[in-house]
Amino acid sequence: MDGTTDFDPIFEDDRLWSETLVFPHPAKLDDEAMDYYFPEYDGRWSRQTKRAMENFAAKGLEMNSNWALENQFWSCPGCGRSKPEIFRKSANGILLAKLELHHDHLWDEGLRRPEKLLGPEWKGKLMEGATVVMDTIRSLVVRFDEALVCSECNAADGKAKKAVDADPSFSFAAAEIRTFAKAMPHHDHEIDVDAAKAVWDGERPGFERRVAILDMLVDDLAAGRLQRRLEGRLRVDRRMFQRIGAEENLHKAFLRSAKGTVNTGLLQTMRSDFLARSVQKDVVRRERTKTVVRRPTDEEYSSYVPENVARKWAETGEDWTCPCCGRGKRASMRLSSKKKWTGTIRAIAQHDILLDEDEITLRERLFPGFPNDLHLQEMRWVDVCSDCADIETRIGQSRRDLADVYLSIDQMRSSLADVGDNVPHEIDFDLAVEMSGSNWRYRHAGEAVSAFISLRNSFRSRMDFASERKHLRQDTFAQLDFELDVRHRIENAQERKDIMAMFRDGDYSRARKRSQWW
Ligand SMILES: [Zn+2]
Ligand SMILES: [Zn+2]
Ligand SMILES: [Zn+2]
């Protein structure tokens, strides 16, 4: 035996067992395959949806993610209608397929109450554990749990509340909506105001008592009588009975075997890939045929100089097309409201996934503190038309609650609801926000790649500087050596030398050879 004999853990080691997992690429599946892989879900691809589109002779479809994420055989706990009965055609000829999460507004009141009674800084003033107690209080006082209902039932709740002048913090539960919403297949509900009034009158004493309990408990909490200690508390997803359970094992085994590959990211984006393939938001076209789109004349096109990034526009050839929307230069020009031609080519940052095992090994060795579950390459710039470049900006403006917005080119493309020559894009914001949200891992991965690159570059420039100044070499080496030793905890002197050499040459192949000994 030379000590390097490989063993194949999968086939020859009976201490381990294995299973091959197959995951679909929703973006690449045809409708039948979507049916096969996602039988308990729904989408624009389902037979049920396509049949409805035909039966209603609909011009388009507006299907939201709640609809897609619920079984095709579902019926509303309010009106009792099934999905095929809920389909409804809008005045514009669009088939509507929307379900909503309906919640008791007393829950929101529970969020406002401590602020009203104790001031905006209440969380800071109270003792540790106060937010946990607040959540408990809120779940105690609400009349019903969040429920999935059809959009007509959700709307009926709001209309009935107004009609009977109920307290704004009051909401009708699904079963109560049933008593006053006159439901018909394919139509909006009509509301029996008397029946709604009877429910409100009947529930009012209980509702008022709940508000009083809320106030009383918030008061007790503020006085420190309801404190909850949290020492030793287990994370909700790490309770004892869950540990080493099926989900944890599967997830860990998957991450172990997919580490450093695109597959890690694919599992993470499965949900948004599914939604991109399933929901649809056909916009009601503002009759564009009437207001004829102004196209640039040959003269206007050839003399056009964009206000911004004019040079890139001039340098870009006629055969260029935007990798996102597919339009060329001429098609991406458009007339602004001030009757000026606008449109340019802009560069957007894209992060590709890093697959080089050597570099991954080196990065994880140097920066073990990052999650390191996704590795990105250095940022690259991609030229897109200005309408596409604006997608992320517009998401950021419409959703200020989002920490950062990032979409890959493919995701940007699937968020385009409508693309036309010489007109702005119609963007499906809900979908774009959903996709951007599922890219949260890019944030840490982006920080990790910056940390690695700035370390490498600073080593390089200091080594370059010293190489021309003989008297500095010794000190520089000592400094870099110290930095790797102390800041990055590389304890082996030879390894530190190797890392410096790898930084200098940009060749990381030693990293993995080394890793066999780590
Ligand atoms: Zn309903
Ligand atoms: Zn509601
Ligand atoms: Zn474009």
Side-chain angles (χ1 to χ4, degrees), residues 246-267:
E247 268 177 47
E248 178 187 324
N249 282 313
L250 256 182
H251 197 65
K252 282 191 177 156
F254 174 82
L255 290 179
R256 225 172 8 240
S257 107
K259 189 168 193 177
T261 71
V262 268
N263 288 354
T264 335
L266 286 174
L267 184 65

PDB file of all heavy atoms in Angstrom, residues 246-267:
ATOM      1  N   ALA A 246     -35.015  13.954   9.250  1.00  0.00           N
ATOM      2  CA  ALA A 246     -34.893  13.745   7.809  1.00  0.00           C
ATOM      3  C   ALA A 246     -34.474  15.022   7.086  1.00  0.00           C
ATOM      4  O   ALA A 246     -33.579  15.011   6.236  1.00  0.00           O
ATOM      5  CB  ALA A 246     -36.217  13.235   7.252  1.00  0.00           C
ATOM      6  N   GLU A 247     -35.089  16.146   7.429  1.00  0.00           N
ATOM      7  CA  GLU A 247     -34.794  17.376   6.699  1.00  0.00           C
ATOM      8  C   GLU A 247     -33.353  17.814   6.878  1.00  0.00           C
ATOM      9  O   GLU A 247     -32.685  18.194   5.929  1.00  0.00           O
ATOM     10  CB  GLU A 247     -35.716  18.497   7.177  1.00  0.00           C
ATOM     11  CG  GLU A 247     -36.961  18.584   6.346  1.00  0.00           C
ATOM     12  CD  GLU A 247     -37.896  19.653   6.861  1.00  0.00           C
ATOM     13  OE1 GLU A 247     -37.416  20.765   7.131  1.00  0.00           O
ATOM     14  OE2 GLU A 247     -39.098  19.351   7.000  1.00  0.00           O
ATOM     15  N   GLU A 248     -32.896  17.758   8.121  1.00  0.00           N
ATOM     16  CA  GLU A 248     -31.533  18.180   8.397  1.00  0.00           C
ATOM     17  C   GLU A 248     -30.530  17.301   7.654  1.00  0.00           C
ATOM     18  O   GLU A 248     -29.602  17.778   7.021  1.00  0.00           O
ATOM     19  CB  GLU A 248     -31.275  18.129   9.908  1.00  0.00           C
ATOM     20  CG  GLU A 248     -29.857  18.510  10.278  1.00  0.00           C
ATOM     21  CD  GLU A 248     -29.559  18.292  11.762  1.00  0.00           C
ATOM     22  OE1 GLU A 248     -30.457  18.513  12.585  1.00  0.00           O
ATOM     23  OE2 GLU A 248     -28.420  17.898  12.074  1.00  0.00           O
ATOM     24  N   ASN A 249     -30.751  15.979   7.714  1.00  0.00           N
ATOM     25  CA  ASN A 249     -29.828  15.059   7.051  1.00  0.00           C
ATOM     26  C   ASN A 249     -29.791  15.281   5.551  1.00  0.00           C
ATOM     27  O   ASN A 249     -28.731  15.319   4.936  1.00  0.00           O
ATOM     28  CB  ASN A 249     -30.228  13.616   7.336  1.00  0.00           C
ATOM     29  CG  ASN A 249     -29.790  13.207   8.733  1.00  0.00           C
ATOM     30  OD1 ASN A 249     -28.662  13.449   9.110  1.00  0.00           O
ATOM     31  ND2 ASN A 249     -30.700  12.633   9.487  1.00  0.00           N
ATOM     32  N   LEU A 250     -30.956  15.422   4.980  1.00  0.00           N
ATOM     33  CA  LEU A 250     -31.035  15.624   3.529  1.00  0.00           C
ATOM     34  C   LEU A 250     -30.317  16.900   3.135  1.00  0.00           C
ATOM     35  O   LEU A 250     -29.515  16.922   2.205  1.00  0.00           O
ATOM     36  CB  LEU A 250     -32.495  15.773   3.128  1.00  0.00           C
ATOM     37  CG  LEU A 250     -33.145  14.590   2.453  1.00  0.00           C
ATOM     38  CD1 LEU A 250     -34.570  14.930   2.096  1.00  0.00           C
ATOM     39  CD2 LEU A 250     -32.366  14.203   1.206  1.00  0.00           C
ATOM     40  N   HIS A 251     -30.605  17.956   3.880  1.00  0.00           N
ATOM     41  CA  HIS A 251     -30.046  19.247   3.529  1.00  0.00           C
ATOM     42  C   HIS A 251     -28.522  19.238   3.665  1.00  0.00           C
ATOM     43  O   HIS A 251     -27.806  19.699   2.784  1.00  0.00           O
ATOM     44  CB  HIS A 251     -30.658  20.330   4.416  1.00  0.00           C
ATOM     45  CG  HIS A 251     -30.460  21.692   3.884  1.00  0.00           C
ATOM     46  ND1 HIS A 251     -31.029  22.101   2.703  1.00  0.00           N
ATOM     47  CD2 HIS A 251     -29.711  22.714   4.324  1.00  0.00           C
ATOM     48  CE1 HIS A 251     -30.652  23.336   2.453  1.00  0.00           C
ATOM     49  NE2 HIS A 251     -29.851  23.740   3.421  1.00  0.00           N
ATOM     50  N   LYS A 252     -28.045  18.653   4.745  1.00  0.00           N
ATOM     51  CA  LYS A 252     -26.599  18.631   4.956  1.00  0.00           C
ATOM     52  C   LYS A 252     -25.904  17.754   3.923  1.00  0.00           C
ATOM     53  O   LYS A 252     -24.855  18.106   3.405  1.00  0.00           O
ATOM     54  CB  LYS A 252     -26.272  18.159   6.368  1.00  0.00           C
ATOM     55  CG  LYS A 252     -26.486  19.254   7.386  1.00  0.00           C
ATOM     56  CD  LYS A 252     -25.926  18.878   8.737  1.00  0.00           C
ATOM     57  CE  LYS A 252     -26.093  20.042   9.714  1.00  0.00           C
ATOM     58  NZ  LYS A 252     -26.104  19.566  11.109  1.00  0.00           N
ATOM     59  N   ALA A 253     -26.484  16.586   3.639  1.00  0.00           N
ATOM     60  CA  ALA A 253     -25.872  15.689   2.655  1.00  0.00           C
ATOM     61  C   ALA A 253     -25.836  16.375   1.297  1.00  0.00           C
ATOM     62  O   ALA A 253     -24.855  16.298   0.559  1.00  0.00           O
ATOM     63  CB  ALA A 253     -26.651  14.378   2.568  1.00  0.00           C
ATOM     64  N   PHE A 254     -26.926  17.082   0.994  1.00  0.00           N
ATOM     65  CA  PHE A 254     -26.975  17.789  -0.290  1.00  0.00           C
ATOM     66  C   PHE A 254     -25.886  18.856  -0.358  1.00  0.00           C
ATOM     67  O   PHE A 254     -25.130  18.929  -1.317  1.00  0.00           O
ATOM     68  CB  PHE A 254     -28.347  18.420  -0.490  1.00  0.00           C
ATOM     69  CG  PHE A 254     -28.414  19.270  -1.725  1.00  0.00           C
ATOM     70  CD1 PHE A 254     -28.637  18.689  -2.965  1.00  0.00           C
ATOM     71  CD2 PHE A 254     -28.201  20.636  -1.655  1.00  0.00           C
ATOM     72  CE1 PHE A 254     -28.650  19.474  -4.106  1.00  0.00           C
ATOM     73  CE2 PHE A 254     -28.213  21.421  -2.786  1.00  0.00           C
ATOM     74  CZ  PHE A 254     -28.449  20.834  -4.029  1.00  0.00           C
ATOM     75  N   LEU A 255     -25.794  19.668   0.689  1.00  0.00           N
ATOM     76  CA  LEU A 255     -24.794  20.741   0.686  1.00  0.00           C
ATOM     77  C   LEU A 255     -23.375  20.182   0.616  1.00  0.00           C
ATOM     78  O   LEU A 255     -22.513  20.739  -0.051  1.00  0.00           O
ATOM     79  CB  LEU A 255     -24.946  21.631   1.918  1.00  0.00           C
ATOM     80  CG  LEU A 255     -26.193  22.516   1.927  1.00  0.00           C
ATOM     81  CD1 LEU A 255     -26.257  23.327   3.202  1.00  0.00           C
ATOM     82  CD2 LEU A 255     -26.233  23.435   0.704  1.00  0.00           C
ATOM     83  N   ARG A 256     -23.144  19.050   1.308  1.00  0.00           N
ATOM     84  CA  ARG A 256     -21.826  18.444   1.277  1.00  0.00           C
ATOM     85  C   ARG A 256     -21.468  18.033  -0.144  1.00  0.00           C
ATOM     86  O   ARG A 256     -20.392  18.278  -0.628  1.00  0.00           O
ATOM     87  CB  ARG A 256     -21.830  17.211   2.188  1.00  0.00           C
ATOM     88  CG  ARG A 256     -20.630  17.125   3.077  1.00  0.00           C
ATOM     89  CD  ARG A 256     -20.654  16.036   4.134  1.00  0.00           C
ATOM     90  NE  ARG A 256     -21.715  15.062   4.094  1.00  0.00           N
ATOM     91  CZ  ARG A 256     -22.593  14.881   5.089  1.00  0.00           C
ATOM     92  NH1 ARG A 256     -22.536  15.623   6.171  1.00  0.00           N
ATOM     93  NH2 ARG A 256     -23.522  13.949   5.005  1.00  0.00           N
ATOM     94  N   SER A 257     -22.420  17.419  -0.820  1.00  0.00           N
ATOM     95  CA  SER A 257     -22.067  16.885  -2.124  1.00  0.00           C
ATOM     96  C   SER A 257     -22.144  17.944  -3.223  1.00  0.00           C
ATOM     97  O   SER A 257     -21.446  17.843  -4.222  1.00  0.00           O
ATOM     98  CB  SER A 257     -22.897  15.634  -2.424  1.00  0.00           C
ATOM     99  OG  SER A 257     -23.871  15.884  -3.379  1.00  0.00           O
ATOM    100  N   ALA A 258     -22.946  18.983  -3.013  1.00  0.00           N
ATOM    101  CA  ALA A 258     -23.069  20.005  -4.063  1.00  0.00           C
ATOM    102  C   ALA A 258     -22.149  21.189  -3.836  1.00  0.00           C
ATOM    103  O   ALA A 258     -22.103  22.108  -4.645  1.00  0.00           O
ATOM    104  CB  ALA A 258     -24.520  20.494  -4.139  1.00  0.00           C
ATOM    105  N   LYS A 259     -21.431  21.149  -2.737  1.00  0.00           N
ATOM    106  CA  LYS A 259     -20.590  22.290  -2.352  1.00  0.00           C
ATOM    107  C   LYS A 259     -19.731  22.811  -3.508  1.00  0.00           C
ATOM    108  O   LYS A 259     -19.070  22.042  -4.195  1.00  0.00           O
ATOM    109  CB  LYS A 259     -19.677  21.854  -1.216  1.00  0.00           C
ATOM    110  CG  LYS A 259     -18.932  22.997  -0.600  1.00  0.00           C
ATOM    111  CD  LYS A 259     -18.296  22.544   0.692  1.00  0.00           C
ATOM    112  CE  LYS A 259     -17.837  23.783   1.432  1.00  0.00           C
ATOM    113  NZ  LYS A 259     -17.269  23.505   2.705  1.00  0.00           N
ATOM    114  N   GLY A 260     -19.766  24.117  -3.691  1.00  0.00           N
ATOM    115  CA  GLY A 260     -18.920  24.715  -4.719  1.00  0.00           C
ATOM    116  C   GLY A 260     -19.413  24.498  -6.136  1.00  0.00           C
ATOM    117  O   GLY A 260     -18.699  24.762  -7.090  1.00  0.00           O
ATOM    118  N   THR A 261     -20.630  23.982  -6.296  1.00  0.00           N
ATOM    119  CA  THR A 261     -21.160  23.803  -7.648  1.00  0.00           C
ATOM    120  C   THR A 261     -22.407  24.671  -7.816  1.00  0.00           C
ATOM    121  O   THR A 261     -22.976  25.141  -6.840  1.00  0.00           O
ATOM    122  CB  THR A 261     -21.570  22.340  -7.905  1.00  0.00           C
ATOM    123  OG1 THR A 261     -22.750  22.061  -7.147  1.00  0.00           O
ATOM    124  CG2 THR A 261     -20.468  21.386  -7.492  1.00  0.00           C
ATOM    125  N   VAL A 262     -22.839  24.835  -9.067  1.00  0.00           N
ATOM    126  CA  VAL A 262     -24.063  25.596  -9.313  1.00  0.00           C
ATOM    127  C   VAL A 262     -25.264  24.977  -8.650  1.00  0.00           C
ATOM    128  O   VAL A 262     -26.246  25.650  -8.364  1.00  0.00           O
ATOM    129  CB  VAL A 262     -24.424  25.707 -10.818  1.00  0.00           C
ATOM    130  CG1 VAL A 262     -23.828  26.939 -11.417  1.00  0.00           C
ATOM    131  CG2 VAL A 262     -24.063  24.457 -11.563  1.00  0.00           C
ATOM    132  N   ASN A 263     -25.192  23.664  -8.390  1.00  0.00           N
ATOM    133  CA  ASN A 263     -26.358  22.983  -7.818  1.00  0.00           C
ATOM    134  C   ASN A 263     -26.802  23.587  -6.492  1.00  0.00           C
ATOM    135  O   ASN A 263     -27.991  23.632  -6.196  1.00  0.00           O
ATOM    136  CB  ASN A 263     -26.050  21.498  -7.624  1.00  0.00           C
ATOM    137  CG  ASN A 263     -25.991  20.769  -8.946  1.00  0.00           C
ATOM    138  OD1 ASN A 263     -26.293  21.362  -9.974  1.00  0.00           O
ATOM    139  ND2 ASN A 263     -25.612  19.514  -8.926  1.00  0.00           N
ATOM    140  N   THR A 264     -25.841  24.037  -5.702  1.00  0.00           N
ATOM    141  CA  THR A 264     -26.189  24.661  -4.422  1.00  0.00           C
ATOM    142  C   THR A 264     -27.174  25.793  -4.660  1.00  0.00           C
ATOM    143  O   THR A 264     -28.195  25.896  -4.005  1.00  0.00           O
ATOM    144  CB  THR A 264     -24.930  25.269  -3.750  1.00  0.00           C
ATOM    145  OG1 THR A 264     -23.800  24.588  -4.221  1.00  0.00           O
ATOM    146  CG2 THR A 264     -25.038  25.223  -2.276  1.00  0.00           C
ATOM    147  N   GLY A 265     -26.846  26.642  -5.628  1.00  0.00           N
ATOM    148  CA  GLY A 265     -27.713  27.773  -5.929  1.00  0.00           C
ATOM    149  C   GLY A 265     -29.034  27.343  -6.523  1.00  0.00           C
ATOM    150  O   GLY A 265     -30.076  27.942  -6.261  1.00  0.00           O
ATOM    151  N   LEU A 266     -29.013  26.266  -7.305  1.00  0.00           N
ATOM    152  CA  LEU A 266     -30.246  25.840  -7.975  1.00  0.00           C
ATOM    153  C   LEU A 266     -31.300  25.366  -6.988  1.00  0.00           C
ATOM    154  O   LEU A 266     -32.486  25.589  -7.178  1.00  0.00           O
ATOM    155  CB  LEU A 266     -29.936  24.726  -8.984  1.00  0.00           C
ATOM    156  CG  LEU A 266     -29.238  25.197 -10.245  1.00  0.00           C
ATOM    157  CD1 LEU A 266     -28.853  23.998 -11.116  1.00  0.00           C
ATOM    158  CD2 LEU A 266     -30.134  26.152 -11.028  1.00  0.00           C
ATOM    159  N   LEU A 267     -30.852  24.696  -5.920  1.00  0.00           N
ATOM    160  CA  LEU A 267     -31.824  24.244  -4.926  1.00  0.00           C
ATOM    161  C   LEU A 267     -32.462  25.474  -4.269  1.00  0.00           C
ATOM    162  O   LEU A 267     -33.656  25.530  -4.027  1.00  0.00           O
ATOM    163  CB  LEU A 267     -31.143  23.377  -3.871  1.00  0.00           C
ATOM    164  CG  LEU A 267     -32.103  22.781  -2.834  1.00  0.00           C
ATOM    165  CD1 LEU A 267     -33.065  21.794  -3.483  1.00  0.00           C
ATOM    166  CD2 LEU A 267     -31.347  22.117  -1.699  1.00  0.00           C
TER     167      LEU A 267
END
